[in-house]
Amino acid sequence: MLAGKHIILGITGGIAAYKSATLIRLLVKKGAEVQVVITPSGKEFITPVTLSTLSGKPVISEFFTANTGEWHSHVDLGLWADAMVVAPATACTIGKMAHGIADNMLVTTYLSAKAPVFVAPAMDLDMMAHPSTTANLALLRSYGNIIIEPAAGELASHLIGKGRMEEPERIVEILEQFFSRRQPLAGKKMLITAGPTYERIDPVRFIGNFSTGKMGYALADAAAELGADVTVVSGPVSVTPRNASVKVVSVESARQMLEACEKVWPDSDIAVMCAAVADYAPLHPADSKIKREGHDIPTIELTKNPDIAATLGVGKRPDQTLVGFALETDNEEFNAQSKLKSKNLDMIVLNSLRNPQAGFATDTNQVTIFKADGTRADFPVKPKTELAFDIINTMID
């Protein structure tokens, strides 16, 4: 469940920081990428060299690297993470997190985190029982943070009581249980097409469109996070999947995309046809560059490309789900629902170029979803990364 997950591990200044080394090792062994963010006092208990060696990444402590001036963006970290774990979390850091006191890199990263946050307190029993600590933990819970309760036992003060940071093995188990509950697509194989297709006129020119692949790759990352085994058949794009478990098959033309899809589709449970496939291709592409000088204006004869979604729809089994996309400029709903039926789709996602915040080359989109059972769902303008979850949740609902 943790394979390919991006985990921020926040380490604060407590004796339990020694357990963080084991926690990193266990997370990495499970296939997670771990980025350590440590408070200045945390470095008094465990060295960045140890943490960096175990995680394979430079440890972040300050807002910028003193000798180079390199800025460490807490915003980028917050967007990168699938989860943030603060272990150990001292009373001081818990108080800062609860009240938004952003005076160090760890707390600013916490305030920027979009992913779930797990807090593993570690302190002496009297500090743990103090009303301020209890109130701060209640505040963190109210914000949606998940508190990993400390265990009872012998503490650094040699007193016996509640305050021992939970063992690393148990923290990993809690993370796995959390992600397993959030993975309704676990065990499912999903095919997603993304990006444009290029249909060659000659070796240097092509017929294509403005698709960047952002929506398709957002769907791939969302599906992988929800547990699916994802293969993206992608036209030429500059984006890459954020989730390391996503497999990418790169193609150029519509016919190459169809060929790749036909190899993957029989073993897939779900296919989402998000690519902007060119409807036409030159019938006779030139073998060498077409010259302008000394030549008449060329006439390019076109031929229809195969309809990939319709082709997959013909052979769709009852246990398979096929989802299409419709980018329309007029008669949007009629055209989308016509495609839903004619291509034997289970669901179609409609977006319109009339909305400047939707369609190609934007980070946002606005869609209406029609299902074969007659239901529909309308979504406002959202980042494509968020809308991807809406689309998948609608599909499996």
Side-chain angles (χ1 to χ4, degrees):
M1 294 300 175
L2 296 178
K5 293 289 186 292
H6 296 167
I7 309 294
I8 296 173
L9 177 58
I11 301 174
T12 67
I15 189 62
Y18 79 90
K19 293 184 178 180
S20 300
T22 301
L23 181 54
I24 295 170
R25 184 179 61 81
L26 293 173
L27 289 170
V28 171
K29 191 174 181 179
K30 292 286 185 178
E33 288 187 50
V34 180
Q35 175 62 64
V36 174
V37 180
I38 191 169
T39 63
S41 61
K43 292 187 288 186
E44 300 295 327
F45 292 87
I46 189 167
T47 68
V49 172
T50 298
L51 300 170
S52 177
T53 301
L54 292 170
S55 67
K57 293 179 178 292
V59 171
I60 296 174
S61 179
E62 309 298 339
F63 292 104
F64 60 90
T65 302
N67 58 338
T68 65
E70 179 186 1
W71 176 256
H72 300 137
S73 173
H74 53 90
V75 175
D76 289 345
L77 275 175
L79 294 172
W80 173 82
D82 295 303
M84 181 175 184
V85 182
V86 184
T90 60
C92 178
T93 293
I94 289 170
K96 289 180 178 182
M97 291 169 65
H99 296 281
I101 301 173
D103 65 347
N104 62 43
M105 189 67 185
L106 191 154
V107 179
T108 54
T109 300
Y110 160 71
L111 293 174
S112 299
K114 304 296 184 185
V117 178
F118 298 78
V119 181
M123 63 196 76
D124 206 68
L125 75 164
D126 293 325
M127 297 175 69
M128 187 69 205
H130 196 279
S132 63
T133 304
T134 303
N136 287 333
L137 287 172
L139 266 179
L140 290 181
R141 286 192 184 92
S142 73
Y143 301 155
N145 299 290
I146 300 161
I147 308 302
I148 302 175
E149 291 292 337
E154 184 177 0
L155 305 172
S157 64
H158 303 298
L159 298 175
I160 306 296
K162 183 177 181 180
R164 288 175 58 91
M165 186 184 105
E166 185 57 271
E167 296 303 317
E169 291 80 4
R170 177 57 183 154
I171 293 175
V172 171
E173 185 180 324
I174 289 169
L175 288 171
E176 288 187 311
Q177 289 172 351
F178 176 82
F179 282 112
S180 69
R181 290 194 299 270
R182 299 178 70 233
Q183 293 193 317
L185 295 177
K188 299 292 185 181
K189 293 186 176 181
M190 183 179 290
L191 162 66
I192 298 174
T193 62
T197 63
Y198 289 175
E199 313 300 333
R200 293 195 177 205
I201 297 171
D202 63 20
V204 299
R205 303 179 180 91
F206 61 87
I207 295 173
N209 55 62
F210 298 110
S211 174
T212 58
K214 290 180 178 179
M215 190 73 250
Y217 278 77
L219 284 164
D221 284 327
E225 184 170 331
L226 295 174
D229 179 359
V230 181
T231 298
V232 177
V233 177
S234 176
V237 296
S238 60
V239 294
T240 57
R242 186 173 62 88
N243 192 299
S245 69
V246 174
K247 297 179 286 293
V248 177
V249 178
S250 296
V251 298
E252 181 179 280
S253 69
R255 294 184 183 278
Q256 290 171 352
M257 184 171 283
L258 174 60
E259 182 180 345
C261 287
E262 287 181 321
K263 291 180 180 178
V264 178
W265 176 232
D267 294 324
S268 298
D269 301 288
I270 303 164
V272 180
M273 302 287 98
C274 188
V277 181
D279 292 323
Y280 300 96
L283 182 61
H284 301 294
D287 293 328
S288 58
K289 180 182 177 181
I290 299 172
K291 297 289 188 180
R292 180 172 64 174
E293 295 80 6
H295 293 80
D296 295 332
I297 297 174
T299 298
I300 301 174
E301 186 178 358
L302 300 178
T303 184
K304 278 189 176 182
N305 271 329
D307 188 319
I308 299 174
T311 302
L312 300 189
V314 170
K316 179 167 70 78
R317 302 189 306 267
D319 63 332
Q320 291 179 308
T321 298
L322 183 60
V323 178
F325 268 69
L327 180 65
E328 302 291 342
T329 57
D330 52 77
N331 297 321
E332 290 99 335
E333 293 192 10
F334 175 80
N335 289 335
Q337 293 187 73
S338 296
K339 291 177 180 179
L340 177 69
K341 295 176 183 178
S342 66
K343 299 184 182 186
N344 194 26
L345 303 175
D346 297 286
M347 189 176 94
I348 193 163
V349 181
L350 167 66
N351 47 185
S352 171
L353 283 179
R354 292 189 181 189
N355 187 335
Q357 294 178 288
F360 293 144
T362 64
D363 291 324
T364 58
N365 206 353
Q366 181 180 18
V367 304
T368 298
I369 297 176
F370 300 95
K371 299 180 79 170
D373 62 8
T375 59
R376 68 177 284 167
D378 296 278
F379 295 92
V381 174
K382 289 185 177 184
K384 289 179 177 177
T385 51
E386 294 181 16
L387 194 58
F389 287 96
D390 293 330
I391 292 169
I392 292 174
N393 287 330
T394 302
M395 178 187 70
I396 63 180
D397 186 18

